[in-house]
Amino acid sequence: SQQGEEDPQALSIQEGENATMNCSYKTSINNLQWYRQNSGRGLVHLILIRSNEREKHSGRLRVTLDTSKKSSSLLITASRAADTASYFCALNTGFQKLVFGTGTRLLVSP
Amino acid sequence: DTEVTQTPKHLVMGMTNKKSLKCEQHMGHRAMYWYKQKAKKPPELMFVYSYEKLSINESVPSRFSPECPNSSLLNLHLHALQPEDSALYLCASSQDSLVFNSYEQYFGPGTRLTVT
């Protein structure tokens, strides 16, 4: 399967703590993207990291990519209750096609 | 304007009905997408339009018929659906991509479809 596998499937933390979620995949990629989805709604793009990049930052988000291990991680620092959502990695395997990972459900408690 | 709009928000239809989902964007994007998402699953790509031409069809059953009337609009025509087609249908748009790279996609809020 070209799909990314994310772990953990679910993560429950307190406000102020950091949250780390991982994405592993098996195919070659052009870039890897992370999206957030609030319950039952559309997805919001968070960050895109190209295959020749190793790390990117955006605000409280830090993404790493290790193409030799075929894995990526998303770190959310100083989490807030508003960060509660599902997070998906998405693999760009060619042309305009994105294949979404299995997702991590994050719950941040006040 | 970075918004993708979808109508209707909710749709209940019988297996013999014909209905359409609509999607609109005004960001000048020339690539538009339909995804299907079942509960607690990731979105699955159905169709991609590039410059108003169908460029990817992920072997979707013919009871789903996409249409791109112009660069801002994307429709999904539904006919003779099955109960297992009940899902959240998401539309997205992006800048048209280079051959082997893609840009970030902007998603609409989705249409929650129930087939009875």
Side-chain angles (χ1 to χ4, degrees):
Chain A
S1 168
Q2 292 185 329
Q3 189 176 53
E5 297 288 331
E6 292 186 56
D7 81 276
Q9 290 185 342
L11 180 60
S12 184
I13 60 174
Q14 300 288 317
E15 268 192 328
E17 295 180 339
N18 295 343
T20 300
M21 48 206 88
N22 304 293
C23 173
S24 60
Y25 57 93
K26 296 180 180 178
T27 63
S28 296
I29 62 170
N30 299 310
N31 64 60
L32 186 147
Q33 303 178 28
W34 285 90
Y35 288 81
R36 183 187 76 226
Q37 184 176 34
N38 290 87
S39 180
R41 299 188 59 79
L43 286 81
V44 175
H45 179 265
L46 297 176
I47 202 162
L48 182 154
I49 187 165
R50 301 196 186 283
S51 58
N52 61 353
E53 297 175 312
R54 292 296 168 258
E55 188 171 314
K56 282 190 88 168
H57 297 256
S58 177
R60 294 183 296 112
L61 305 180
R62 173 179 169 250
V63 168
T64 62
L65 178 64
D66 187 333
T67 52
S68 66
K69 295 181 179 178
K70 289 187 164 53
S71 68
S72 175
S73 67
L74 171 67
L75 168 67
I76 304 173
T77 60
S79 62
R80 306 164 181 168
D83 294 327
T84 294
S86 291
Y87 291 82
F88 294 95
C89 64
L91 313 176
N92 171 222
T93 57
F95 197 38
Q96 294 146 322
K97 190 170 176 177
L98 279 184
V99 179
F100 283 84
T102 50
T104 294
R105 294 190 306 279
L106 174 65
L107 174 63
V108 182
S109 301
Chain B
D1 182 4
T2 58
E3 190 180 24
V4 175
T5 59
Q6 288 188 246
T7 56
K9 290 184 179 179
H10 301 275
L11 178 62
V12 179
M13 61 185 290
M15 289 188 285
T16 59
N17 291 160
K18 286 185 180 180
K19 296 287 185 183
S20 297
L21 309 184
K22 296 185 183 302
C23 173
E24 188 168 8
Q25 57 89 14
H26 294 288
M27 293 177 277
H29 290 165
R30 303 308 296 270
M32 296 187 76
Y33 312 79
W34 280 115
Y35 289 87
K36 173 183 177 180
Q37 187 178 26
K38 301 284 273 186
K40 298 189 177 181
K41 296 291 185 182
E44 295 179 350
L45 182 66
M46 300 175 71
F47 303 104
V48 180
Y49 272 84
S50 177
Y51 287 87
E52 296 131 63
K53 292 191 184 333
L54 184 65
S55 58
I56 295 176
N57 177 343
E58 291 288 278
S59 302
V60 178
S62 60
R63 57 185 184 268
F64 295 91
S65 175
E67 178 196 20
C68 191
N70 60 55
S71 60
S72 300
L73 292 174
L74 187 66
N75 298 323
L76 186 62
H77 302 297
L78 314 172
H79 174 55
L81 295 193
Q82 303 297 310
E84 58 265 29
D85 296 322
S86 298
L88 181 68
Y89 287 84
L90 294 161
C91 172
S93 71
S94 73
Q95 296 180 47
D96 197 28
S97 65
L98 301 174
V99 176
F100 291 115
N101 278 288
S102 68
Y103 297 97
E104 60 270 26
Q105 295 184 14
Y106 293 79
F107 282 80
T111 293
R112 189 160 299 282
L113 174 67
T114 303
V115 181
T116 60

